[in-house]
Amino acid sequence: GQQLNQSPQSMFIQEGEDVSMNCTSSSIFNTWLWYKQDPGEGPVLLIALYKAGELTSNGRLTAQFGITRKDSFLNISASIPSDVGIYFCAGPYSGTYKYIFGTGTRLKVLA
Amino acid sequence: DGGITQSPKYLFRKEGQNVTLSCEQNLNHDAMYWYRQDPGQGLRLIYYSQIVNDFQKGDIAEGYSVSREKKESFPLTVTSAQKNPTAFYLCASGMGGGYRDTEAFFGQGTRLTVV
């Protein structure tokens, strides 16, 4: 099945550093969703984006809906140890009830 | 509180047995979904349902079955035909493909282990 491509696949960073990750698709999306999954738990919605070019923040997290509508970006500022986890992007196929998920970016923060 | 509840959190099954995972939501969402997640992997769609009494196969439906008799409930049965059932199973609900309110929300997951 089709998936969204996320990069990087994994990253180790030092506490306090900023983090950037992105998600790309060959198809246009009308909505971009970003989730975080802690080990052994279900993904939790972080940010939802609805308009091309939109920039939305949630605390230290900032996400952007790409102008082409084929990509999205997530930034985490001043990372802390509890930022550890897997970050997924996702989007619903336009006009359908089906969600497509990215391959995930695994973040590890070194104290 | 509105939300989506999966049970049980952990489930053990003997080889050759069918087992049913529960998923209930009180978010009044039309659509519900089942995903499978293997260690270090992303989410793969098993089945989804857009409306009561209707459901569609996802990418990896073989060896699984579902029902949608009520809007709130979407149980998943892992049958003996599923050759490698040990995995983390996630249920989600959402409104799907419009321009707003299209977020999907997840349960806490069920970890199934075949012994």
Side-chain angles (χ1 to χ4, degrees):
Chain A
Q2 182 176 346
Q3 281 192 315
L4 300 173
N5 296 312
Q6 284 186 247
S7 64
Q9 288 187 330
S10 63
M11 54 196 313
F12 287 83
I13 61 169
Q14 293 286 340
E15 183 177 359
E17 288 184 348
D18 296 343
V19 175
S20 293
M21 60 189 79
N22 67 63
C23 185
T24 60
S25 169
S26 57
S27 305
I28 288 173
F29 282 86
N30 293 321
T31 300
W32 285 96
L33 308 172
W34 284 94
Y35 292 85
K36 183 195 176 198
Q37 185 180 29
D38 291 326
E41 301 294 329
V44 173
L45 182 66
L46 299 173
I47 291 178
L49 301 161
Y50 300 105
K51 186 177 177 181
E54 180 181 356
L55 190 70
T56 297
S57 293
N58 178 6
R60 293 178 296 105
L61 278 62
T62 302
Q64 185 164 21
F65 193 138
I67 290 292
T68 66
R69 295 165 61 193
K70 293 184 177 181
D71 55 10
S72 181
F73 309 89
L74 178 69
N75 296 312
I76 305 172
S77 64
S79 59
I80 59 178
S82 63
D83 290 333
V84 165
I86 306 174
Y87 292 80
F88 290 103
C89 61
Y93 275 132
S94 179
T96 78
Y97 285 81
K98 193 172 177 180
Y99 293 87
I100 302 301
F101 282 82
T103 48
T105 292
R106 286 150 185 80
L107 180 64
K108 298 185 180 181
V109 179
L110 305 175
Chain B
D1 286 340
I4 180 164
T5 302
Q6 289 185 241
S7 61
K9 179 74 171 175
Y10 299 95
L11 189 57
F12 295 88
R13 190 196 90 175
K14 292 183 179 179
E15 283 194 30
Q17 285 184 338
N18 292 354
V19 64
T20 297
L21 283 59
S22 171
C23 179
E24 303 277 335
Q25 57 101 358
N26 60 5
L27 299 168
N28 200 33
H29 286 160
D30 290 330
M32 296 187 73
Y33 308 83
W34 276 104
Y35 293 89
R36 170 179 172 144
Q37 187 177 33
D38 292 290
Q41 302 298 312
L43 306 177
R44 293 188 290 170
L45 182 63
I46 303 172
Y47 269 98
Y48 66 105
S49 168
Q50 300 175 193
I51 197 170
V52 173
N53 293 324
D54 186 51
F55 46 83
Q56 285 77 40
K57 293 182 179 179
D59 301 320
I60 56 165
E62 185 175 353
Y64 299 97
S65 66
V66 293
S67 63
R68 187 85 186 276
E69 297 178 0
K70 299 186 301 181
K71 186 176 185 177
E72 301 79 14
S73 178
F74 191 41
L76 172 74
T77 297
V78 184
T79 75
S80 57
Q82 169 52 236
K83 299 305 180 188
N84 185 22
T86 295
F88 190 51
Y89 290 89
L90 287 160
C91 180
S93 69
M95 294 301 287
Y99 286 81
R100 285 279 172 179
D101 300 325
T102 58
E103 301 92 345
F105 295 91
F106 284 85
Q108 70 272 40
T110 293
R111 185 166 299 281
L112 174 64
T113 303
V114 173
V115 297

